[in-house]
Amino acid sequence: MSRSIKISPSILSCDFSKIGKEVESLEKAGADYIHVDVMDGHFVPNLTIGPDVIKNIRPFSKKIFDVHLMISPVDKYIKQFADAGSDIITFHPEATENMGKTIDLIKKCKKKVGVSLKPKSKIELIKDYLKQIDLVLIMSVEPGFGGQKFMPEVLPKLTELKKIIEREKLNVDLEIDGGINFENSKIAKEAGANILVSGSTIFKKNNGDLKKNINLLRQN
Ligand code: DX5
Ligand code: ZN
């Protein structure tokens, strides 16, 4: 089954003095999802935003809020992120002692479940859970900062996951996150990604022409 390509701009690269307006502009420019990077200065060496900010920007768009939690331990914050208006809640296996429990917590909040693999994290960590989740997010940079260089060595993980998903007829999206640009978007799709996250390319290229950049990522 081939899925349509979705673009999920990361607001990590937006102007934080007008974050609501930026979300509104992304929707107008044709974004499919809004990617929200949550960092705790502990699981990753950077701090960003929490549930209150998500709650405040929620009214600015009806698009799916694709919330990427880079926080640990993650369980005690799931409900707050769900109540704030997240639609997909993605966590890292290393951020929980019990993946099954974290998946159940997200499902209990009636949200979609994503699991993310850092560049060095192996598929084996999540293989047994593929039937229970909605999305796998493959990191193509070390999580923590926008604007880093794409790591092509993670692409075989997408190819292998796609094979498993097709063989087992699973309903799981494959998302790639980190350093995506107009050149590597093609190989990411060919490897199996159907959702592309992008921060700096969307906000900084072509003088910040969001619509043009979203279209180019979708088409290339
Ligand atoms: C990194 C974040 C990414 C990042 C993407 O930890 O998860 O979402 O902001 O930004 P670019 O596209 O600039 O690499
Ligand atoms: Zn992210």
Side-chain angles (χ1 to χ4, degrees), residues 88-200:
I88 305 169
I89 297 183
T90 296
F91 68 96
H92 286 255
E94 297 88 349
T96 176
E97 280 175 6
N98 185 334
M99 270 192 70
K101 193 174 154 216
T102 306
I103 291 170
D104 287 347
L105 276 174
I106 300 172
K107 286 193 169 169
K108 222 186 259 164
C109 296
K110 301 201 164 38
K111 303 298 175 183
K112 291 209 163 169
V113 182
V115 174
S116 179
L117 291 176
K118 295 193 275 190
K120 289 192 196 74
S121 299
K122 298 216 172 1
I123 289 183
E124 281 63 37
L125 274 173
I126 61 162
K127 251 183 186 162
D128 293 344
Y129 298 94
L130 286 173
K131 284 194 179 69
Q132 301 167 49
I133 65 178
D134 302 288
L135 175 151
V136 177
L137 188 165
I138 296 293
M139 294 292 313
S140 40
V141 297
E142 285 299 336
F145 300 93
Q148 302 183 75
K149 197 171 170 289
F150 179 74
M151 299 167 72
E153 58 269 35
V154 307
L155 292 176
K157 285 198 274 195
L158 281 173
T159 315
E160 199 184 329
L161 281 165
K162 186 159 191 217
K163 242 192 251 163
I164 300 172
I165 289 165
E166 282 181 351
R167 192 180 61 220
E168 318 252 329
K169 299 191 172 54
L170 301 174
N171 192 15
V172 176
D173 285 310
L174 290 177
E175 181 171 35
I176 186 151
D177 182 7
I180 292 292
N181 58 34
F182 304 132
E183 286 76 47
N184 58 34
S185 53
K186 189 169 192 288
I187 49 170
K189 289 173 200 167
E190 282 167 358
N194 69 297
I195 306 172
L196 307 187
V197 175
S198 162
S200 30

